[in-house]
Amino acid sequence: MIDFFKRRKDSPNEPASEPGEPVEEEATPSRQSWLQKLAGSLSKTRERVADRIQAIAAARRGIDEDFYDEILEVLVETDVGMDVADDMVKRLRREVGARDAKDTSEACDLLVELIGRALVSDRRTLTVDDIETAGGSKPVVLLLTGVNGSGKTTVCGKLARRYRREGKRVLMVAADTFRAAAIDQLKLWADRAEVDFQGAREGRDPSSVVYDGLARAKAEGHDVVIIDTAGRLQNKVNLMNELGKIRRTLDKHADSGSIQSLLVIDSTTGQNAITQAEVFGEVAKLDGIVLTKLDGTARGGIVLAIKQRMELPVVEVGVGEGIDDLVPFDAATYARSLLGDLADDGISWRGRAGFND
């Protein structure tokens, strides 16, 4: 096994490296490689959807009611949900009329553009540069929530590795104290990512662990704090109380502009993801979604469902098992990849002349 996956032998609360010391063995993945991974992760959805869309376009010379019905059916099958699919088809009808589209291939191009524009967001995973530009103070604090099994702890580790490669000093905080195994798993990811770790004994109050982590980060000059939390929905009341207390601790002891609350969702859960967003959104003050296992589902339309129903942008997407297989979300790449390469690469998803919302 390569050195990267060997466990370090330092104690849980010892520094993993010197502050700002970059990881030298691997370069930070480029934006282009991220976009390629995002497109590749949608292959199952594309295989299920794109051929049907193209067949619909090829089978008709003109745009009729049957065309719109079939588009609606395809969108529903990608798990966008009936209400979102119906709204998208209504928008498509308006665009076809406004642009005087004459054939189905033009209409399909418009559909791709509509989906891309619906998903565009200025929000992304916070960086140190973001908060410094906004006049905030370090550290960046990422609060990750989600049900058990969603891939939350893995996302913590992959984000930590990315920041570490950028030369940032990172502290991972184990606020899931319900299970000793959860603490151990996060410690293993901290070792893999070569970042610092704030542990706790099993059963300790999670908010006190977060408080100690923030105090340590400020004292030792960490740039980023990543907090892993519990996700046992079978104990919903207790879980929500814990998360609410954690959030209040963050609001009191961290710069408000430096906090980002992200919900991690397994994309294979389909429409159940909407319910999860509603439940966790009650207490965690969500800023965005991290969607995992997108490469393992043919229902990639859940991204659009979340954005439209919850008004929450997807900021990161899990596209595989590797340490680098968590990539920033890109709306244009997603839309083209979801429905096949039906749109011109030169489409501007913002402020395009003639676009009617």
Side-chain angles (χ1 to χ4, degrees), residues 176-352:
D176 181 359
T177 60
F178 185 74
R179 299 176 298 126
I183 300 170
D184 293 342
Q185 185 184 12
L186 192 70
K187 174 61 168 65
L188 178 59
W189 271 108
D191 291 342
R192 290 176 176 177
E194 300 182 21
V195 301
D196 297 339
F197 176 75
Q198 183 71 31
R201 69 179 185 278
E202 183 179 359
R204 188 182 171 193
D205 177 19
S207 63
S208 68
V209 179
V210 170
Y211 175 84
D212 288 348
L214 289 175
R216 177 184 172 190
K218 293 175 182 179
E220 298 181 6
H222 288 89
D223 301 296
V224 181
V225 175
I226 301 175
I227 303 169
D228 188 24
T229 60
R232 51 192 192 285
L233 275 185
Q234 64 271 30
N235 296 320
K236 178 183 172 183
V237 174
N238 290 338
L239 174 62
M240 293 301 114
N241 288 339
E242 283 182 6
L243 292 178
K245 193 173 180 181
I246 288 172
R247 181 66 207 217
R248 289 191 295 274
T249 299
L250 292 180
D251 290 339
K252 185 175 182 180
H253 298 286
D255 189 307
S256 60
S258 303
I259 304 169
Q260 188 172 48
S261 177
L262 301 176
L263 176 64
V264 181
I265 291 177
D266 178 346
S267 62
T268 63
T269 61
Q271 286 292 304
N272 189 43
I274 303 296
T275 302
Q276 293 176 29
E278 291 171 344
V279 169
F280 283 93
E282 293 174 5
V283 295
K285 300 180 184 178
L286 297 175
D287 297 304
I289 301 291
V290 178
L291 198 63
T292 63
K293 308 175 190 178
L294 191 62
D295 58 313
T297 181
R299 295 178 174 268
I302 191 61
V303 175
L304 182 60
I306 292 169
K307 178 63 164 59
Q308 296 294 91
R309 290 273 299 276
M310 303 302 300
E311 297 184 354
L312 285 171
V314 174
V315 297
E316 300 279 343
V317 176
V319 298
E321 299 290 336
I323 192 71
D324 294 323
D325 291 337
L326 182 73
V327 301
F329 181 74
D330 181 81
T333 299
Y334 171 87
R336 285 194 294 266
S337 300
L338 178 67
L339 298 178
D341 191 16
L342 299 173
D344 183 350
D345 284 346
I347 283 179
S348 171
W349 303 102
R350 301 174 193 272
R352 176 164 171 167

Side-chain angles (χ1 to χ4, degrees), residues 64-230:
D64 56 18
E65 287 303 311
D66 286 341
F67 167 77
Y68 289 118
D69 288 344
E70 291 194 56
I71 292 294
L72 178 68
E73 181 181 334
V74 171
L75 291 176
V76 170
E77 288 182 2
T78 68
D79 234 348
V80 303
M82 177 57 78
D83 54 345
V84 175
D86 185 59
D87 178 67
M88 196 57 58
V89 170
K90 288 178 180 177
R91 293 188 185 194
L92 178 61
R93 287 176 182 271
R94 293 199 299 269
E95 283 302 299
V96 166
R99 301 201 195 180
D100 196 25
K102 300 298 184 184
D103 58 52
T104 53
S105 62
E106 289 182 72
C108 287
D109 283 348
L110 290 175
L111 177 62
V112 174
E113 182 180 342
L114 281 167
I115 291 174
R117 290 178 64 89
L119 290 169
V120 164
S121 172
D122 291 326
R123 204 171 298 172
R124 60 176 183 172
T125 306
L126 275 179
T127 68
V128 175
D129 290 343
D130 290 335
I131 63 170
E132 289 180 343
T133 299
S137 59
K138 294 191 297 184
V140 169
V141 180
L142 300 183
L143 174 65
L144 273 72
T145 57
V147 300
N148 289 341
S150 62
K152 182 169 67 265
T153 302
T154 299
V155 169
C156 287
K158 291 181 178 182
L159 284 173
R161 182 62 172 177
R162 184 192 300 172
Y163 284 116
R164 177 73 176 89
R165 279 181 170 157
E166 295 171 355
K168 307 305 180 186
R169 189 169 185 188
V170 182
L171 177 65
M172 296 178 72
V173 177
D176 181 359
T177 60
F178 185 74
R179 299 176 298 126
I183 300 170
D184 293 342
Q185 185 184 12
L186 192 70
K187 174 61 168 65
L188 178 59
W189 271 108
D191 291 342
R192 290 176 176 177
E194 300 182 21
V195 301
D196 297 339
F197 176 75
Q198 183 71 31
R201 69 179 185 278
E202 183 179 359
R204 188 182 171 193
D205 177 19
S207 63
S208 68
V209 179
V210 170
Y211 175 84
D212 288 348
L214 289 175
R216 177 184 172 190
K218 293 175 182 179
E220 298 181 6
H222 288 89
D223 301 296
V224 181
V225 175
I226 301 175
I227 303 169
D228 188 24
T229 60

